[in-house]
C-alpha cells in the first residue's frame, strides 16, 4: 500500500510540473499552479502579486494595494518595482541577443517546443476548473459578466489550440528566389527582434497580454511584460500555468511598476520593439521616447453606420446594446457613435435599445464599475454635449444607484446622447463629440440619403481607426462606405458589429504604419518579426574568370 501511495504521489508531482491535467490543490476547485483563489480573496485574506525576473519570482520594497472595484476594500497587494530596483530587469533583457532566443537558423527545435507548450496550455485552459478559475479572477479585478469574462478565456484557449504542433514553425515559413547564376539564391526569413517589451491595459487582463506574449515567444523574442497593476494578478497566474506547461524560466520577465518606472526601464534596457496597447496620449509619448521602435493598438472611437435597408430590428438593437454597453463599454472596440439612416427612425430601434439597456444591472455585472473614468467626468462630458443645439438624452444619463463602488471609479447607467449630424461636423464640436469615453456611453445621430457624404466626412476626420461596422445588405451601399473608410477591423453586412476579437481574424487598427494586430498568423508575423534577406552565393567561380577592368 505504501509503495502504491508513493507512486501516486510521484505521478501527481510529475503532472504538476508539466501541467496537462488539473487536480484540486490547496483550495477546492482551484488548479494546482494557482497561488490564489478568486472566491477567497478579501480584505481579511488579501492576495499577493509578485514579479518574475531572471527565472525567479521576486517581491519589491514597495507594495501597492488594489481595491475591490465593487466595494473599495483592499484585496490585493502588488509588489511594484521602483526605479532603483530595475537593474535585474535591464540585465535580463540586455542578455538576449538581437538574433533572439531562436530563429530559422538557430535553435529551431524551440519552435516545436512552443507548439508543445501551446498544446499543454490549451488543454489546461479547456478544463472547466481552470477556465472557471480565470473567469472568476477576471471578474474580481475587472468586473464584467461571467459570460464576458469566460469568453475572454475561451478565445485565448482557441488561440493556443491554433498554434499547437507544427503551427509555430509555420509562422517562420521562408521563401527562396533563384539567383543570377549557379550557387546563388535569395532567401527571405521572418526574423525576431530579440529583446522586446509588452505593455497592456486593464480591460482584457487575460486575452490581450497572453496572445501578445505567446506571439512574441513563438517568433523567438524575449519579452518583458507589464500589465496594468489593477489587474496584473490575472496574468501572473497565467504565467504560473505556462511555467507548469514547460515554458523555460529564462524566456520571459514580468514586472509590476508605475508608468514612470516602466518608461525608465524601456530607456535603459533599449528593447528592439515595444508593443503598447492603451491610450493614444501615452502611445504618442512612447513613440517619441523609443524613437519609433513601437507597435500600437491604441484608442478607438468606433463608428457604426446603419444603411437604408431596415430589417431584423430586434437583432440589430441587441447587437447595438452589446457593442456599446457590454463590459460597461470598456472595450477599445465599443460602439462610440451610431450613424442611423432616417429609415430607421420609425422602426422602433431606439426604443428597443433603451429597453435592452435597462435590463443591465450591477447584480450580474452586465453593468458595473468604470475603472478609468469617474462618474463626475461622464456627467461633465454629457452636459457639454447637451449644450450643442438639438442635442438630447435618449436614455440613461444618470449615476447607478444603491451600490458601494468607490468614487475613484465610475458608476453610470448605459447612456446614449443624440447630436445632430450637421452640428457634429462643426469645427467647434467635432473634437468634443468624438472624444472616446471608456465607459457605457455613446453618441447617436441620424442622416438622410443626401447626407451620406457628411457621414463619410466624419469618419475621415476621426483620428483613431480601430473597428467599425456597416450594417446593411445593400451591396452598393457597402461598396461605397467600405471603399471610403479605413478602420482595421470592419464588420459589414446585416449582422455587423464593432466589438469582438476572436482568434480567427485580425484585430487591430489600420491607417498607421505603427499599427499592431493580434490573434492571427499575419498579426504575429507583422508585430513580432521583421524581414531578413540572406543571399547565398556559394559558387563555383567560372573557370574562365579573369580580373575585370576597374569600374
Amino acid at each position: 500500500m505504501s509503495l502504491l501511495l508513493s507512486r501516486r504521489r510521484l505521478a501527481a508531482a510529475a503532472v504538476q510540473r508539466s501541467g496537462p491535467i488539473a487536480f484540486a490543490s490547496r483550495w477546492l476547485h482551484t488548479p494546482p499552479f494557482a497561488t490564489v483563489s478568486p472566491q477567497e480573496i478579501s480584505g481579511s485574506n488579501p492576495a499577493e502579486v509578485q514579479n518574475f525576473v531572471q527565472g525567479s519570482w521576486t517581491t519589491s520594497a514597495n507594495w501597492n494595494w488594489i481595491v475591490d472595484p465593487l466595494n473599495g476594500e483592499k484585496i490585493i497587494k502588488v509588489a511594484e518595482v521602483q526605479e532603483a530596483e530595475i537593474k535585474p530587469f535591464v540585465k535580463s533583457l540586455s542578455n538576449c541577443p538581437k538574433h533572439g532566443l531562436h530563429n530559422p537558423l538557430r535553435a529551431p527545435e524551440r519552435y516545436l517546443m512552443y507548439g508543445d507548450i501551446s498544446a499543454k496550455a490549451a488543454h489546461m485552459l479547456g478544463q472547466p476548473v481552470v477556465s472557471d478559475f480565470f473567469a472568476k479572477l477576471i471578474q474580481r479585478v475587472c468586473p464584467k459578466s461571467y459570460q464576458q469574462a469566460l469568453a475572454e478565456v475561451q478565445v485565448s484557449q482557441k488561440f493556443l489550440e491554433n498554434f499547437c504542433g507544427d503551427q509555430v514553425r509555420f509562422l517562420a515559413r521562408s521563401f527562396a528566389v533563384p539567383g543570377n547564376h549557379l550557387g546563388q539564391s535569395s532567401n527571405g526569413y521572418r526574423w525576431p527582434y530579440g529583446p522586446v517589451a509588452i505593455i497592456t491595459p486593464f480591460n482584457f487582463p487575460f486575452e490581450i497580454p497572453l496572445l501578445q506574449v505567446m506571439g512574441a515567444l513563438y517568433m523567438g523574442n524575449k519579452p518583458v511584460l507589464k500589465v496594468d497593476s489593477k489587474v496584473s494578478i490575472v496574468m501572473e497566474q497565467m504565467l504560473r500555468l505556462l511555467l507548469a506547461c514547460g515554458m523555460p524560466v529564462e524566456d520571459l520577465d514580468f514586472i509590476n511598476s508605475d508608468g514612470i518606472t516602466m518608461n525608465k526601464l524601456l530607456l535603459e534596457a533599449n528593447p528592439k520593439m515595444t508593443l503598447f496597447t492603451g491610450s493614444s496620449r501615452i502611445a504618442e509619448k512612447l513613440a517619441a521616447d523609443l524613437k519609433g521602435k513601437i507597435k500600437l493598438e491604441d484608442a478607438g472611437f468606433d463608428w457604426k453606420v446603419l444603411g437604408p435597408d431596415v430589417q431584423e430590428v430586434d437583432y440589430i438593437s441587441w447587437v447595438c446594446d452589446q457593442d456599446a454597453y457590454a463590459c460597461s463599454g470598456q472595450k477599445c472596440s465599443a460602439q462610440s457613435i451610431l450613424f442611423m439612416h432616417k429609415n430607421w427612425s420609425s422602426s422602433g430601434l431606439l426604443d428597443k435599445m433603451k429597453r435592452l439597456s435597462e435590463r443591465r444591472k450591477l447584480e450580474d455585472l452586465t453593468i458595473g464599475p468604470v475603472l478609468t473614468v469617474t462618474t463626475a467626468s461622464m456627467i461633465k462630458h454629457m452636459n457639454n454635449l447637451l449644450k450643442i443645439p438639438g442635442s438630447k438624452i435618449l436614455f440613461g444619463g444618470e449615476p447607478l444607484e444603491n451600490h458601494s463602488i468607490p468614487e475613484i471609479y465610475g458608476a453610470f447607467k448605459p447612456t446614449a446622447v443624440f447630436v445632430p449630424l450637421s452640428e457634429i461636423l462643426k469645427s467647434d464640436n467635432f473634437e468634443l463629440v468624438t472624444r472616446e469615453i471608456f465607459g457605457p456611453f455613446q453618441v447617436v445621430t441620424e442622416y438622410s440619403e443626401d447626407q451620406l457624404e457628411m457621414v463619410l466626412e466624419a469618419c475621415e476626420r476621426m483620428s483613431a481607426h480601430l473597428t467599425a461596422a456597416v450594417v446593411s445588405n445593400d451591396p452598393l451601399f457597402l461598396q461605397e462606405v467600405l471603399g471610403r473608410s479605413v478602420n482595421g477591423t470592419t464588420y459589414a453586412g446585416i449582422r455587423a458589429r464593432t466589438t469582438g476579437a476572436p482568434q480567427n481574424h485580425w484585430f487591430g487598427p489600420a491607417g498607421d504604419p505603427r499599427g499592431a494586430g493580434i490573434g492571427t498568423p499575419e498579426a504575429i508575423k507583422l508585430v513580432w518579426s521583421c524581414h531578413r534577406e540572406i543571399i547565398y552565393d556559394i559558387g563555383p567561380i567560372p573557370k574562365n574568370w579573369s580580373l575585370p577592368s576597374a569600374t
Side-chain angles (χ1 to χ4, degrees), residues 15-16 18-22 31-33 118-131 157 241 244-245:
V15 168
Q16 178 133 350
S18 61
I21 300 174
F33 61 82
S118 293
K120 292 176 183 178
H123 181 78
M124 286 280 276
L125 289 181
Q127 297 178 49
V129 67
V130 179
S131 58
Q157 191 261 345
L241 183 151
C245 291

Side-chain angles (χ1 to χ4, degrees), residues 92-113:
S92 182
L93 209 59
S94 300
N95 284 341
C96 178
K98 294 177 183 178
H99 58 254
L101 301 178
H102 62 265
N103 60 55
L105 302 181
R106 180 179 181 275
E109 64 276 4
R110 284 175 49 90
Y111 293 113
L112 304 182
M113 178 189 73

Side-chain angles (χ1 to χ4, degrees), residues 145 148 317-329 353-368 400 412-415 440:
S145 70
Q148 289 282 322
S317 60
W318 171 74
V319 175
C320 286
D321 176 75
Q322 286 291 107
D323 280 347
Y325 305 125
C327 300
S328 301
M353 287 170 57
K354 179 178 184 293
R355 287 196 294 272
L356 289 171
S357 73
E358 290 170 347
R359 296 190 307 170
R360 297 183 174 275
K361 53 186 183 294
L362 192 57
E363 288 76 12
D364 60 6
L365 295 178
T366 49
I367 192 70
L400 292 177
F412 210 55
K413 292 180 179 179
T415 297

Side-chain angles (χ1 to χ4, degrees), residues 188-243:
Y189 296 99
R190 298 310 304 177
W191 213 257
Y193 292 101
V196 298
I198 301 171
I199 304 172
T200 64
F202 76 91
N203 56 331
F204 285 88
F206 190 80
E207 182 180 349
I208 294 177
L210 177 58
L211 268 59
Q212 295 292 15
V213 158
M214 296 309 292
L217 292 169
Y218 291 157
M219 299 311 294
N221 302 287
K222 175 174 181 171
V224 57
L225 170 66
K226 174 184 163 19
V227 181
D228 188 317
S229 293
K230 292 191 292 291
V231 299
S232 62
I233 190 172
V234 178
M235 197 58 194
E236 189 230 42
Q237 294 297 299
M238 184 60 203
L239 292 184
R240 294 180 187 275
L241 183 151
L242 290 173
L243 291 168

Side-chain angles (χ1 to χ4, degrees), residues 15-69:
V15 168
Q16 178 133 350
R17 287 193 297 272
S18 61
I21 300 174
F23 293 102
S25 60
R26 73 187 72 178
W27 294 284
L28 187 64
H29 307 307
T30 300
F33 61 82
T35 59
V36 300
S37 170
Q39 295 91 329
E40 299 293 328
I41 298 174
S42 66
S44 58
N45 184 37
E48 182 178 297
V49 179
Q50 297 182 338
N51 303 285
F52 192 74
V53 62
Q54 296 178 321
S56 299
W57 291 102
T58 65
T59 60
S60 168
N62 183 68
W63 293 92
N64 176 33
W65 280 98
I66 306 300
V67 301
D68 189 324

Side-chain angles (χ1 to χ4, degrees), residues 364-544:
D364 60 6
L365 295 178
T366 49
I367 192 70
V370 179
L371 302 190
T372 56
V373 188
T374 64
T375 303
S377 295
M378 285 184 276
I379 291 174
K380 180 180 179 181
H381 180 69
M382 179 185 69
N383 288 337
N384 286 335
L385 290 176
L386 292 175
K387 294 176 184 177
I388 298 173
S391 298
K392 60 184 177 181
I393 296 176
L394 295 175
F395 51 84
E398 299 175 342
L400 292 177
E401 300 166 344
N402 303 318
H403 64 80
S404 54
I405 297 171
E407 290 187 3
I408 59 171
Y409 298 138
F412 210 55
K413 292 180 179 179
T415 297
V417 174
F418 180 87
V419 182
L421 180 58
S422 58
E423 293 292 333
I424 291 175
L425 291 175
K426 291 181 178 178
S427 56
D428 292 343
N429 297 333
F430 191 79
E431 185 176 346
L432 171 65
V433 173
T434 58
R435 176 188 165 198
E436 183 183 20
I437 301 297
F438 216 58
F441 195 100
Q442 67 171 318
V443 172
V444 177
T445 193
E446 185 181 84
Y447 71 99
S448 59
E449 203 77 37
D450 59 353
Q451 290 179 311
L452 180 58
E453 285 292 328
M454 298 172 68
V455 173
L456 294 173
E457 180 189 343
C459 296
E460 175 74 14
R461 286 169 59 183
M462 292 176 196
S463 58
H465 302 292
L466 183 56
T467 71
V470 188
V471 184
S472 173
N473 276 351
D474 180 338
L476 295 180
F477 182 83
L478 289 175
Q479 184 173 278
E480 181 70 8
V481 177
L482 294 174
R484 297 178 60 184
S485 55
V486 69
N487 295 48
T489 302
T490 304
Y491 290 88
I494 207 63
R495 298 188 64 173
R497 55 184 177 165
T498 65
T499 61
Q503 73 292 336
N504 63 300
H505 71 61
W506 161 284
F507 183 86
D512 187 333
R514 304 168 301 177
I518 193 171
T520 62
E522 291 76 18
I524 293 171
K525 286 183 277 190
L526 173 83
V527 175
W528 294 116
S529 69
C530 59
H531 182 88
R532 184 185 186 189
E533 193 88 359
I534 297 178
I535 297 89
Y536 289 98
D537 206 346
I538 60 175
I541 307 299
K543 290 182 179 179
N544 58 348

Side-chain angles (χ1 to χ4, degrees), residues 116-157:
D116 292 340
I117 292 170
S118 293
K120 292 176 183 178
H123 181 78
M124 286 280 276
L125 289 181
Q127 297 178 49
V129 67
V130 179
S131 58
D132 180 72
F133 166 80
F134 280 112
K136 288 177 177 173
L137 191 58
I138 291 168
Q139 284 187 298
R140 290 308 308 272
V141 293
C142 183
K144 58 180 80 174
S145 70
Y146 183 81
Q147 185 177 5
Q148 289 282 322
L150 183 62
E152 194 176 334
V153 182
Q154 291 171 333
V155 165
S156 302
Q157 191 261 345

